[in-house]
Amino acid sequence: MDREGHLRVGGVDLSRLADRYGTPLYVYDAATIRAAHRAYTLAFAKHRPYRISYAIKASPLRGVGRVLSALGADASAASLGELLAAKRAGFAPARMQLHGNAKTDEELRGAIALGAGRIVIDGADEIERLARLVRRRATPLSVWLRVSPGIGADTHPHLRTGVLDSKFGAPIEGGEALAQARSIALTKGLLLVGLHAHLGTQLHEAERYAELGAALAGLAGDAMAATRAKIREIGVGGGLGIPLREGDRTLDLASYAAAVSAPLRSRAETAKATLYVEPGRSLVGRSGVALYRVVGTKRIGGVRTYVSVDGGMGDNIRPALYGAEYTALLAERASAAPQEQVAIAGRYCESGDVLIGDVALPTARSGETLAIPGSGAYAIPMASNYNSVPRPAVVLIDNKRARLIRARETYADLWKPER
Ligand code: LLP
């Protein structure tokens, strides 16, 4: 914030950006991304060897990815499209991993042709399908096996992935993961070098990560005893939560790194394995702020006050989909005392399109700029054109300068593919 009470990011006045580029506008700060990456390196350095692999789904924008590829991060992709986005953003294909529970043959072929470093096999059928694709290869394809550790997590049910009843990964429980490890080890053309699991996202409990580390270490030991595979890489997924509202509890990186890596270090079979951590949200979430214009206010006496803005679920589906709770500030009056509790209503034609259910704000006037911090992850990549609304522009701030990294969509863009 500056002396006039204007919010600034990386030295740039947000209300000026709203004037210049229009709203809704997403603003990323490169310095915040670098700081988050550095915090990861500091937390995991003690537990070497490790790799930080950016889960590019959190924000596949080239301008954002470039900040992380320049720092030497790997990229973790959930589709061929994300592999291609990672390549555009400067990640080396050999430093990419492709996961996903339903990769098509086309995607697998595309990933192999691109030279993606690791394919993370998810499911018995994929072993067979991949086997057909690699039959004629001179050198075997290095793969990981996605497993399901059967570990719950205190997050929204849609955001849990490590539980037994999940579409992702071969369950360790009951021996399915071990059976698939065997089957990969017996498949010509495939080389099993790693195991991978992901518990879910927006998580806060160190113990769950310790359980994950232990489950993967145990399975690695069993798989190496049962096959000739040398498991030298352990992917622990991502999932570390970030605070979105004041007082939100989060797990600090040092405790997270210690919890997930200790079980790997304590077993001889995995002591030297490279730990791959795949953060998305915790690398880019806090670096992004969404800017909207206040359109109007509706007061329903004794019930609620709705402050409506010019964006909403089309650019950030997370509140509607997961009940995600954000906070907001007025970008031109960031230090003004709050005067009322309001809901921030989106512009889309759905009652569920409420960006924030309850936030204390000074009385907002139409035309003022409203800022929602913590919007850097999973908002723009999940954006839609619902109600035929073009998607927002995106700006990246670096070295006190703002640069447009994605233009605002036009109406012509919306209709371009129509025949
Ligand atoms: N690794 C794997 C295999 C993943 O599936 C994910 C996220 C990550 C890493 C990165 O997780 P993160 O560090 O960002 O929590 N759309 C949802 C998030 C879905 C995450 C899916 N997988 C949201 O808006 O909260």
Side-chain angles (χ1 to χ4, degrees):
M1 207 186 333
D2 61 17
R3 267 188 244 132
E4 296 156 46
H6 283 204
L7 276 185
R8 283 175 175 268
V9 166
V12 178
D13 184 335
L14 291 182
S15 70
R16 291 243 171 111
L17 292 180
D19 290 343
R20 180 154 159 219
Y21 296 102
T23 54
L25 180 71
Y26 278 70
V27 180
Y28 278 90
D29 180 43
T32 306
I33 300 174
R34 291 191 191 105
H37 181 269
R38 174 142 180 80
Y40 261 92
T41 60
L42 292 175
F44 278 89
K46 292 189 208 105
H47 313 288
R48 261 186 301 221
Y50 73 98
R51 298 284 315 171
I52 297 168
S53 187
Y54 171 45
I56 198 163
K57 58 170 81 72
S59 182
L61 293 158
R62 174 161 59 174
V64 170
R66 269 189 179 155
V67 176
L68 287 160
S69 65
L71 297 173
D74 284 15
S76 165
S79 66
L80 179 56
E82 285 188 357
L83 286 176
L84 298 172
K87 189 169 179 211
R88 273 167 62 79
F91 293 91
R95 301 290 353 156
M96 297 177 193
Q97 303 94 41
L98 175 66
H99 59 85
N101 66 301
K103 302 179 210 71
T104 63
D105 283 2
E106 185 207 347
E107 283 183 300
L108 291 172
R109 261 189 229 109
I112 294 169
L114 190 73
R118 300 288 181 264
I119 307 256
V120 186
I121 292 182
D122 195 339
D125 296 296
E126 198 176 314
I127 303 175
E128 280 175 33
R129 292 194 292 120
L130 208 47
R132 282 199 288 275
L133 298 180
V134 298
R135 220 165 6 201
R136 292 210 185 82
R137 274 176 76 94
T139 49
L141 186 73
S142 295
V143 298
W144 292 358
L145 173 64
R146 169 89 180 239
V147 304
S148 152
I151 297 170
D154 67 334
T155 188
H156 189 280
H158 291 177
L159 303 180
R160 281 182 206 136
T161 39
V163 290
L164 181 60
D165 184 0
S166 163
K167 67 176 182 175
F168 297 106
I172 296 180
E173 193 181 317
E176 177 63 20
L178 192 57
Q180 289 189 17
R182 265 203 202 96
S183 139
I184 297 171
L186 292 173
T187 301
K188 196 171 158 286
L190 295 181
L191 191 64
L192 180 64
V193 298
L195 298 175
H196 174 260
H198 170 69
L199 288 186
T201 184
Q202 191 61 1
L203 311 184
H204 310 289
E205 297 167 299
E207 293 122 73
R208 299 288 94 82
Y209 282 109
E211 290 170 25
L212 172 65
L216 288 169
L219 179 65
D222 293 349
M224 284 193 278
T227 69
R228 278 205 221 137
K230 293 200 173 50
I231 310 284
R232 348 178 208 103
E233 297 167 349
I234 304 280
V236 297
L240 190 66
I242 61 165
L244 292 177
R245 289 180 77 117
E246 225 170 292
D248 276 0
R249 73 200 168 102
T250 48
L251 175 61
D252 65 285
L253 261 168
S255 313
Y256 166 58
V260 74
S261 63
L264 298 172
R265 248 179 311 140
S266 68
R267 275 190 79 123
E269 298 95 322
T270 50
K272 295 212 176 88
T274 302
L275 184 153
Y276 281 69
V277 61
E278 292 171 355
R281 190 191 318 273
S282 49
L283 281 181
V284 298
R286 298 179 77 169
S287 72
V289 54
L291 302 180
Y292 303 95
R293 291 276 190 215
V294 172
V295 178
T297 300
K298 170 178 177 176
R299 295 176 196 285
I300 312 168
V303 177
R304 197 184 301 277
T305 296
Y306 287 96
V307 171
S308 294
V309 297
D310 58 359
M313 67 191 295
D315 60 84
N316 188 353
I317 189 84
R318 303 195 64 259
L321 197 54
Y322 316 117
E325 295 183 356
Y326 291 84
T327 191
L329 304 102
L330 294 178
E332 289 104 6
R333 291 191 288 147
S335 53
Q339 288 160 302
E340 53 184 351
Q341 294 294 129
V342 301
I344 305 298
R347 59 155 307 157
Y348 294 82
C349 194
E350 295 256 351
S351 292
D353 180 27
V354 173
L355 282 170
I356 303 179
D358 186 32
V359 61
L361 281 183
T363 303
R365 301 182 281 257
S366 350
E368 277 194 283
T369 310
L370 183 99
I372 299 193
S375 299
Y378 303 113
I380 287 295
M382 296 177 80
S384 76
N385 292 121
Y386 184 46
N387 290 162
S388 296
V389 175
R391 287 175 293 176
V394 185
V395 158
L396 177 76
I397 296 173
D398 202 2
N399 263 323
K400 299 194 175 156
R401 288 194 42 198
R403 185 164 57 86
L404 187 67
I405 58 168
R406 186 179 159 94
R408 183 173 307 286
E409 270 178 343
T410 63
Y411 289 112
D413 291 332
L414 299 193
W415 301 316
K416 197 170 158 225
E418 282 196 354
R419 294 293 177 270

XYZ file of all heavy atoms in Angstrom, residues 321-359:
285
model
N -17.442 -23.993 -6.757
C -17.169 -25.421 -6.894
C -16.689 -26.077 -5.598
O -17.029 -27.222 -5.312
C -16.125 -25.613 -7.998
C -15.949 -27.001 -8.597
C -17.263 -27.561 -9.111
C -14.935 -26.951 -9.741
N -15.886 -25.355 -4.850
C -15.293 -25.955 -3.641
C -15.631 -25.198 -2.360
O -15.080 -25.497 -1.308
C -13.761 -25.989 -3.738
C -13.186 -26.441 -5.048
C -12.421 -25.583 -5.819
C -13.386 -27.749 -5.509
C -11.855 -25.994 -7.010
C -12.831 -28.158 -6.707
C -12.071 -27.280 -7.460
O -11.513 -27.683 -8.642
N -16.442 -24.167 -2.468
C -16.682 -23.345 -1.283
C -15.432 -22.603 -0.845
O -15.274 -22.291 0.338
N -14.525 -22.338 -1.767
C -13.292 -21.633 -1.410
C -13.614 -20.239 -0.876
O -14.489 -19.557 -1.416
C -12.385 -21.519 -2.637
N -12.936 -19.845 0.165
C -13.220 -18.552 0.805
C -12.051 -17.607 0.638
O -10.959 -17.865 1.122
C -13.531 -18.767 2.284
C -14.800 -19.562 2.487
C -15.170 -19.739 3.946
O -14.390 -19.305 4.820
O -16.239 -20.311 4.199
N -12.313 -16.509 -0.036
C -11.289 -15.481 -0.275
C -11.625 -14.247 0.557
O -12.686 -14.139 1.158
C -11.286 -15.068 -1.752
C -10.788 -16.116 -2.713
C -11.643 -17.108 -3.189
C -9.476 -16.109 -3.162
C -11.197 -18.070 -4.093
C -9.013 -17.054 -4.067
C -9.885 -18.035 -4.521
O -9.441 -18.969 -5.415
N -10.693 -13.296 0.518
C -10.987 -11.993 1.101
C -10.859 -10.941 -0.006
O -10.448 -11.257 -1.119
C -10.056 -11.682 2.281
O -10.571 -10.530 2.961
C -8.622 -11.414 1.836
N -11.258 -9.709 0.304
C -11.184 -8.649 -0.707
C -10.843 -7.320 -0.058
O -11.070 -7.117 1.136
C -12.526 -8.539 -1.436
N -10.286 -6.429 -0.867
C -9.983 -5.063 -0.420
C -10.351 -4.108 -1.546
O -10.371 -4.511 -2.715
C -8.487 -4.879 -0.178
C -7.731 -5.764 0.769
C -6.949 -6.806 0.001
C -6.770 -4.918 1.583
N -10.586 -2.866 -1.190
C -10.768 -1.859 -2.228
C -9.383 -1.362 -2.609
O -8.626 -0.899 -1.750
C -11.645 -0.712 -1.722
C -13.102 -1.101 -1.425
C -13.875 0.093 -0.886
C -13.783 -1.663 -2.676
N -9.047 -1.447 -3.889
C -7.665 -1.162 -4.303
C -7.291 0.302 -4.106
O -6.117 0.630 -3.952
C -7.457 -1.568 -5.763
N -8.283 1.196 -4.112
C -7.942 2.626 -3.934
C -8.116 3.091 -2.497
O -7.781 4.220 -2.166
C -8.827 3.502 -4.843
C -8.496 3.395 -6.330
C -9.502 2.541 -7.106
O -10.518 2.121 -6.513
O -9.259 2.272 -8.294
N -8.708 2.250 -1.654
C -8.922 2.650 -0.252
C -8.594 1.482 0.667
O -9.403 1.049 1.489
C -10.377 3.080 -0.045
C -10.720 4.391 -0.760
C -12.062 4.916 -0.311
N -13.192 4.141 -0.816
C -14.339 3.961 -0.149
N -14.496 4.460 1.065
N -15.326 3.273 -0.687
N -7.379 0.970 0.491
C -7.025 -0.257 1.178
C -6.940 -0.070 2.694
O -7.113 -1.023 3.455
C -5.702 -0.778 0.639
N -6.692 1.161 3.145
C -6.553 1.342 4.595
C -7.810 1.922 5.237
O -7.853 2.122 6.437
C -5.347 2.230 4.886
O -5.464 3.420 4.150
N -8.840 2.199 4.429
C -10.070 2.757 5.009
C -10.726 1.728 5.924
O -10.686 0.525 5.660
C -11.026 3.155 3.881
N -11.322 2.234 7.013
C -11.943 1.312 7.979
C -13.161 0.643 7.356
O -13.935 1.288 6.647
C -12.360 2.093 9.218
N -13.341 -0.652 7.619
C -14.528 -1.330 7.099
C -15.788 -0.738 7.710
O -15.798 -0.359 8.881
C -14.353 -2.783 7.543
C -13.064 -2.875 8.268
C -12.457 -1.530 8.371
N -16.835 -0.647 6.887
C -18.093 -0.090 7.383
C -19.224 -1.094 7.388
O -20.212 -0.919 8.062
C -18.494 1.104 6.501
C -17.615 2.314 6.739
C -17.670 3.277 5.572
O -17.369 2.915 4.438
N -18.078 4.505 5.838
N -19.088 -2.138 6.581
C -20.198 -3.101 6.536
C -19.728 -4.488 6.107
O -18.681 -4.634 5.496
C -21.309 -2.608 5.591
C -20.816 -2.238 4.198
C -21.927 -1.656 3.326
O -23.095 -1.683 3.726
O -21.605 -1.199 2.206
N -20.524 -5.491 6.470
C -20.278 -6.870 6.012
C -21.054 -7.054 4.719
O -22.264 -6.775 4.691
C -20.804 -7.881 7.040
C -20.095 -7.878 8.383
C -18.651 -8.334 8.275
O -17.765 -7.650 8.761
N -18.423 -9.475 7.630
N -20.375 -7.488 3.686
C -21.067 -7.643 2.405
C -20.713 -8.985 1.764
O -19.730 -9.627 2.140
C -20.702 -6.511 1.418
C -21.072 -5.145 1.990
C -19.222 -6.560 1.056
N -21.530 -9.370 0.798
C -21.182 -10.494 -0.072
C -20.728 -9.897 -1.396
O -21.257 -8.879 -1.838
C -22.399 -11.383 -0.289
N -19.718 -10.532 -2.013
C -19.276 -10.069 -3.331
C -19.928 -10.970 -4.368
O -19.601 -12.159 -4.470
C -17.736 -10.133 -3.465
C -17.050 -9.362 -2.332
C -17.312 -9.602 -4.841
C -17.341 -7.880 -2.284
N -20.874 -10.406 -5.115
C -21.617 -11.196 -6.095
C -20.951 -11.086 -7.455
O -20.525 -9.998 -7.856
C -23.050 -10.699 -6.176
N -20.873 -12.216 -8.154
C -20.343 -12.208 -9.514
C -21.413 -11.753 -10.490
O -22.573 -11.550 -10.132
N -21.024 -11.617 -11.750
C -21.916 -11.096 -12.783
C -22.662 -12.177 -13.544
O -23.457 -11.887 -14.425
C -21.091 -10.309 -13.781
C -20.010 -11.176 -14.414
C -19.591 -10.678 -15.757
N -20.749 -10.517 -16.618
C -20.796 -9.709 -17.669
N -19.748 -8.994 -17.985
N -21.860 -9.629 -18.413
N -22.368 -13.449 -13.248
C -22.925 -14.534 -14.060
C -24.339 -14.877 -13.613
O -24.719 -14.657 -12.463
C -21.999 -15.756 -14.002
C -20.677 -15.429 -14.677
C -19.680 -14.736 -13.996
C -20.472 -15.728 -16.016
C -18.503 -14.378 -14.614
C -19.287 -15.376 -16.647
C -18.310 -14.698 -15.941
O -17.153 -14.337 -16.577
N -25.092 -15.451 -14.523
C -26.505 -15.684 -14.278
C -26.717 -16.990 -13.522
O -27.236 -17.957 -14.076
C -27.244 -15.682 -15.610
S -29.003 -15.563 -15.362
N -26.236 -17.018 -12.290
C -26.342 -18.188 -11.413
C -26.378 -17.660 -9.990
O -25.503 -16.881 -9.612
C -25.064 -19.055 -11.494
C -24.794 -19.687 -12.812
C -25.118 -21.169 -12.860
O -25.416 -21.773 -11.804
O -25.087 -21.695 -13.966
N -27.315 -18.134 -9.187
C -27.336 -17.682 -7.792
C -26.077 -18.099 -7.053
O -25.651 -17.454 -6.106
C -28.554 -18.244 -7.073
O -29.709 -17.652 -7.609
N -25.494 -19.217 -7.495
C -24.273 -19.698 -6.848
C -23.042 -18.870 -7.171
O -21.972 -19.119 -6.617
N -23.186 -17.916 -8.062
C -22.020 -17.110 -8.435
C -21.800 -15.986 -7.429
O -22.108 -14.820 -7.696
C -22.185 -16.547 -9.850
C -20.986 -15.694 -10.255
O -19.883 -15.943 -9.720
O -21.152 -14.778 -11.074
N -21.304 -16.374 -6.267
C -20.937 -15.407 -5.228
C -19.463 -15.636 -4.946
O -19.072 -16.726 -4.516
C -21.802 -15.613 -3.960
C -21.306 -14.740 -2.820
C -23.265 -15.318 -4.277
N -18.638 -14.645 -5.218
C -17.191 -14.834 -5.065
C -16.796 -14.912 -3.598
O -15.915 -15.679 -3.224
C -16.428 -13.697 -5.756
C -16.326 -13.802 -7.277
C -15.771 -12.516 -7.873
C -15.435 -14.990 -7.682
N -17.456 -14.066 -2.773
C -17.150 -14.077 -1.341
C -18.471 -13.954 -0.588
O -19.269 -13.056 -0.851
C -16.216 -12.905 -0.955
C -14.923 -12.952 -1.782
C -15.894 -12.940 0.542
C -13.953 -11.821 -1.492
N -18.701 -14.874 0.331
C -19.969 -14.879 1.056
C -20.051 -13.760 2.062
O -21.128 -13.214 2.318
N -18.919 -13.403 2.649
C -18.950 -12.448 3.744
C -17.585 -11.793 3.898
O -16.602 -12.473 4.170
C -19.320 -13.216 5.024
C -19.534 -12.299 6.207
O -19.997 -11.155 5.993
O -19.234 -12.715 7.336
N -17.554 -10.473 3.726
C -16.295 -9.756 3.922
C -16.615 -8.339 4.414
O -17.632 -7.759 4.030
C -15.443 -9.735 2.613
C -16.159 -9.040 1.471
C -14.067 -9.115 2.848
